[in-house]
Amino acid sequence: QQPVQSPQAVILREGEDAVINCSSSKALYSVHWYRQKHGEAPVFLMILLKGGEQKGHEKISASFNEKKQQSSLYLTASQLSYSGTYFCGTPGGANFGNEKLTFGTGTRLTIIP
Amino acid sequence: NAGVMQNPRHLVRRRGQEARLRCSPMKGHSHVYWYRQLPEEGLKFMVYLQKENIIDESGMPKERFSAEFPKEGPSILRIQQVVRGDSAAYFCASSPPGGRQYFGPGTRLTVT
């Protein structure tokens, strides 16, 4: 079943912060985050492999709560380049790699000057 | 190291024709995944292949769609007798054994 992301869309002014949530009805073993700009391929941001793990990428970080079957992506001091649609992806099993990803419903982020 | 390559980038077909989409994985990657993205929607898994083997085709429509990844050459996603509903962006991703997926630029199929 497809993970549900919230919010569906958000508009921010440059410099503001945002949180994007990804919730699954199934057990989560890992969460992959991607950003996709219109008409382009998804670009990998990060993978979270363990419950409670937090990782960071420039001003973008994420957390993973296995018990709640949730992951959250945090964007701080947003830049115009952060605009795009963010997807979380989850594999079906516990083995990292070599599995299909089921992508979430997506969150469209628009940053305005 | 060149990334995942897909061609053509844009493909226009009339209803009833065949579409062939090609994907060359990154060097050293033996796993290929195909995803479809309908306009304004998310990515939906179609098929996962390793060299000469289909590992998981649970997302492939039962008819008209097929995929292969031969020992030599690119992976091919083939759509026979295309219909308007097949219009979408088709993305290929590749990974090394046990590694994360790298996406190609996609092929945008338009059926007229």
Side-chain angles (χ1 to χ4, degrees), chain A residues 3-57:
Chain A
V4 176
Q5 290 182 232
S6 63
Q8 284 186 309
V10 59
I11 300 174
L12 295 177
R13 292 198 177 276
E14 206 173 358
E16 291 182 334
D17 301 341
V19 180
I20 299 171
N21 300 303
C22 172
S23 296
S24 174
S25 58
K26 294 167 55 177
L28 286 179
Y29 301 100
S30 65
V31 179
H32 305 222
W33 283 98
Y34 286 82
R35 175 174 60 213
Q36 184 180 30
K37 294 186 181 287
H38 186 70
E40 299 182 10
V43 172
F44 171 77
L45 294 175
M46 66 188 77
I47 294 177
L48 297 108
L49 296 176
K50 297 182 209 173
E53 183 175 23
Q54 297 193 29
K55 297 190 80 171
H57 176 76

Side-chain angles (χ1 to χ4, degrees), chain A residues 36 39, chain B residues 6 8-13 19 21 34-44 46 61 65 77 79 82-91 105-112:
Chain A
Q36 184 180 30
Chain B
Q6 290 188 248
R9 296 290 304 276
H10 299 274
L11 182 62
V12 179
R13 285 287 177 264
L21 289 62
W34 285 94
Y35 294 86
R36 177 165 64 176
Q37 187 172 38
L38 295 170
E40 304 304 320
E41 292 191 12
L43 294 143
K44 297 286 193 289
M46 299 183 75
F65 285 72
L77 179 68
I79 311 172
V82 295
V83 300
R84 287 231 173 101
D86 296 334
S87 294
Y90 292 82
F91 289 97
T107 293
R108 276 141 189 89
L109 172 66
T110 302
V111 179
T112 61

Side-chain angles (χ1 to χ4, degrees), chain A:
Chain A
Q1 199 158 358
Q2 186 178 29
V4 176
Q5 290 182 232
S6 63
Q8 284 186 309
V10 59
I11 300 174
L12 295 177
R13 292 198 177 276
E14 206 173 358
E16 291 182 334
D17 301 341
V19 180
I20 299 171
N21 300 303
C22 172
S23 296
S24 174
S25 58
K26 294 167 55 177
L28 286 179
Y29 301 100
S30 65
V31 179
H32 305 222
W33 283 98
Y34 286 82
R35 175 174 60 213
Q36 184 180 30
K37 294 186 181 287
H38 186 70
E40 299 182 10
V43 172
F44 171 77
L45 294 175
M46 66 188 77
I47 294 177
L48 297 108
L49 296 176
K50 297 182 209 173
E53 183 175 23
Q54 297 193 29
K55 297 190 80 171
H57 176 76
E58 297 178 344
K59 293 181 181 176
I60 302 175
S61 60
S63 63
F64 178 22
N65 188 322
E66 262 180 301
K67 286 184 180 177
K68 291 186 178 179
Q69 296 172 184
Q70 289 178 348
S71 177
S72 294
L73 188 71
Y74 307 93
L75 300 100
T76 57
S78 56
Q79 305 168 14
L80 292 175
S81 62
Y82 288 179
S83 291
T85 302
Y86 289 77
F87 292 101
C88 62
T90 61
N95 296 320
F96 170 63
N98 306 142
E99 282 202 60
K100 68 181 183 185
L101 291 176
T102 300
F103 283 94
T105 48
T107 296
R108 179 174 293 182
L109 176 65
T110 304
I111 310 294
I112 56 177

Side-chain angles (χ1 to χ4, degrees), chain B residues 88-100:
Chain B
Y90 292 82
F91 289 97
C92 162
S94 73
S95 74
R100 71 160 180 93

